[in-house]
Amino acid sequence: FDVVDVIRTKRDGGRLADEQIDWVIDAYTRGVVAEQQMAALAMAIFLRGMERPEIARWTRAMIDSGERMDFSTLSKPTTDKHSTGGVGDKITLPLAPLVASFGVAVPQLSGRGLGHTGGTLDKLEAIPGWRADLSNEQMMRQLESAGAVICAAGSGLAPADKKLYALRDITGTVEAIPLIASSIMSKKIAEGTAALTLDVKTGAGAFMKDEADARELARTMVELGTDAGVRTVALLTDMSAPLGRTAGNGLEVRESLEVLAGGGPADVVELTCALAREMLEAAGVRDADVEAALADGRAMDSWRAMISAQGGDVDAPLPVAQHVEEFRASEDGVVTGLDAMGVGVAAWRLGAGRSRPGEAVQAAAGVEIEAHIGDEVKAGDVLARLHTDTAERMPRALESIAGSWTLEAPGTEVPERRIVKD
Ligand code: URA
């Protein structure tokens, strides 16, 4: 095969042959196809799209670039979830132990922050002692003992995606349905879960801002999963405003603990419970009373087992930032909108995210939202608290958060926010 032919085929709007796809993914993984060539091909796919059979073949080739895990020897059914990423999306933290408390296994391979969105592993690393890296054997043991595992994907899982993801991140080719769908599903299918619940985000803080695009992404991923023998369902959920009242690693752990203790913000609880019911249903557990498991401490027990199995000190205090500044309202009003993107970028600038691959993140940095949608405020009231260990980061974070609130006249009716869409 000639890689330039493959690029030209897609550049001119053609359909890639199965053999071309298998070859180009394999050759790229082995370093025979250069980064520049794959960048050109990714841009051609971004602009021209792919047909369903091409996406399916591309996904399979990425799975075949590495190892597949096998949980079939476990004594319990497996069920996993994946979110396409958002601001304040800490749902995995309460969700995995909640679902595991019903006796199913949750093998949650997670990632790190990307751009303005947070990463589950970065959040959990705010807990003193907690380790993200487990061997496959450790993972299997923990699934039997604690039920839930949240850890980093080993380097053997879909290595083609690892390379391609890093390349897309720096070439403006992230937000394409065929590339997102194949990236997510190659990892989840290779992971070997029997059931998968997808949380597909839409709105200002999501990669797919448009609802029709998000639906198309959801449909594509459900088909890919189903065809590969994974029971796959998707929920379409709102990411126009941040989830809950915190964005930032340690702050989100704190909020997750509130949910596990039976409290926490209503939107976080609603989404956690909706996803838990889907995951349990997919694993054959019907009519689970997930609210009761949050209220009576079963989910919290399961969290403590999961965190301590990975070296985390569940009773240690979470890190506190060295600098905290308040951002205040300049007028009276009712909050009718809160822009997830503005809050996400602020948290990232405060040090919760990275600007270069591999950079360390601050465990205590982030945004604590005081006034969320529906809240009445007076001029001078605190809208948010900004946390960071590096004072120099404060001005630019304030700049990005300043325009995030939409305030309307006091008394304005605010329609209830629907987290899960029909
Ligand atoms: N998450 C992934 O794993 N891949 C994408 O392409 C987008 C979000």
Side-chain angles (χ1 to χ4, degrees):
F1 288 97
D2 178 5
V3 63
V4 180
D5 273 349
V6 178
I7 297 168
R8 282 201 188 108
T9 303
K10 190 41 80 183
R11 180 197 69 189
D12 298 338
R15 180 173 162 176
L16 299 179
D18 289 353
E19 302 73 34
Q20 285 181 310
I21 292 174
D22 295 350
W23 176 79
V24 83
I25 295 281
D26 178 58
Y28 174 59
T29 311
R30 288 186 292 115
V32 172
V33 163
E35 296 288 350
Q36 297 91 322
Q37 294 170 315
M38 193 47 122
L41 182 57
M43 186 56 84
I45 293 170
F46 185 96
L47 296 171
R48 292 293 195 169
M50 270 179 161
E51 291 176 22
R52 284 292 166 83
E54 283 180 289
I55 305 176
R57 191 71 179 206
W58 186 273
T59 306
R60 210 171 92 192
M62 294 223 289
I63 297 168
D64 291 344
S65 72
E67 64 179 19
R68 290 178 86 137
M69 297 183 70
D70 180 9
F71 297 124
S72 60
T73 55
L74 283 178
S75 67
K76 33 190 163 182
T78 47
T79 189
D80 191 11
K81 83 112 190 184
H82 186 87
S83 153
T84 58
V87 177
D89 184 3
K90 71 275 297 170
I91 302 296
T92 295
L93 275 56
L95 178 64
L98 169 61
V99 171
S101 74
F102 287 86
V104 300
V106 185
Q108 179 75 57
L109 299 181
S110 296
R112 302 201 174 268
L114 177 73
H116 69 283
T117 67
T120 299
L121 301 179
D122 295 331
K123 294 172 196 180
L124 286 168
E125 281 175 353
I127 302 171
W130 187 85
R131 290 184 311 268
D133 292 307
L134 298 183
S135 68
N136 289 357
E137 294 69 38
Q138 286 170 320
M139 192 173 174
M140 292 295 271
R141 267 202 304 279
Q142 189 173 326
L143 285 169
E144 283 294 354
S145 63
V149 175
I150 302 175
C151 65
S155 55
L157 209 76
D161 177 64
K162 267 198 193 75
K163 270 188 92 174
L164 182 55
Y165 198 91
L167 179 66
R168 286 166 58 214
D169 197 22
I170 56 168
T171 54
T173 50
V174 170
E175 304 92 338
I177 290 174
L179 295 174
I180 297 178
S182 56
S183 164
I184 291 175
M185 295 308 292
S186 62
K187 284 174 286 201
K188 291 291 159 180
I189 295 167
E191 169 199 288
T193 183
L196 176 64
T197 300
L198 296 163
D199 178 4
V200 180
K201 305 285 188 198
T202 172
F207 287 122
M208 291 282 122
K209 313 220 180 294
D210 182 72
E211 191 169 320
D213 289 343
R215 265 183 214 284
E216 176 63 18
L217 174 62
R219 215 173 287 125
T220 307
M221 291 196 291
V222 169
E223 269 184 33
L224 288 172
T226 308
D227 288 350
V230 180
R231 274 191 305 282
T232 311
V233 291
L235 294 185
L236 200 68
T237 73
D238 179 59
M239 192 26 80
S240 55
L243 269 171
R245 290 180 174 262
T246 56
N249 303 311
L251 293 169
E252 293 192 46
V253 173
R254 193 189 72 195
E255 191 166 85
S256 303
L257 285 167
E258 289 167 18
V259 173
L260 287 161
D267 57 348
V268 179
V269 176
E270 179 190 337
L271 185 52
T272 303
C273 290
L275 288 167
R277 277 189 287 270
E278 295 292 340
M279 288 173 73
L280 286 164
E281 185 91 24
V285 182
R286 273 173 241 305
D287 304 321
D289 189 350
V290 294
E291 284 85 358
L294 286 175
D296 66 19
R298 271 176 288 155
M300 182 67 96
D301 289 346
S302 176
W303 160 269
R304 294 177 70 88
M306 171 182 87
I307 296 298
S308 31
Q310 287 171 247
D313 182 347
V314 284
D315 297 312
L318 290 165
V320 176
Q322 288 166 30
H323 307 275
V324 180
E325 258 183 48
E326 290 169 339
F327 177 68
R328 294 172 183 273
S330 54
E331 56 184 342
D332 295 0
V334 55
V335 182
T336 55
L338 177 55
D339 177 38
M341 196 65 166
V343 174
V345 171
W348 172 65
R349 286 184 174 164
L350 287 165
R354 304 178 172 75
S355 38
R356 281 186 309 280
E359 199 177 21
V361 296
Q362 295 183 17
V367 176
E368 212 182 342
I369 298 158
E370 276 300 321
H372 212 306
I373 295 176
D375 292 345
E376 292 269 356
V377 297
K378 296 256 176 275
D381 280 358
V382 175
L383 295 178
R385 289 192 180 79
L386 279 64
H387 299 238
T388 183
D389 291 333
T390 7
E392 315 83 85
R393 288 173 175 267
M394 210 55 101
R396 292 206 65 214
L398 278 164
E399 228 170 76
S400 82
I401 211 168
S404 299
W405 282 262
T406 309
L407 289 183
E408 293 189 52
T412 304
E413 194 78 30
V414 187
E416 205 181 330
R417 183 172 167 216
R418 304 259 327 266
I419 299 294
V420 180
K421 296 177 183 287
D422 294 328

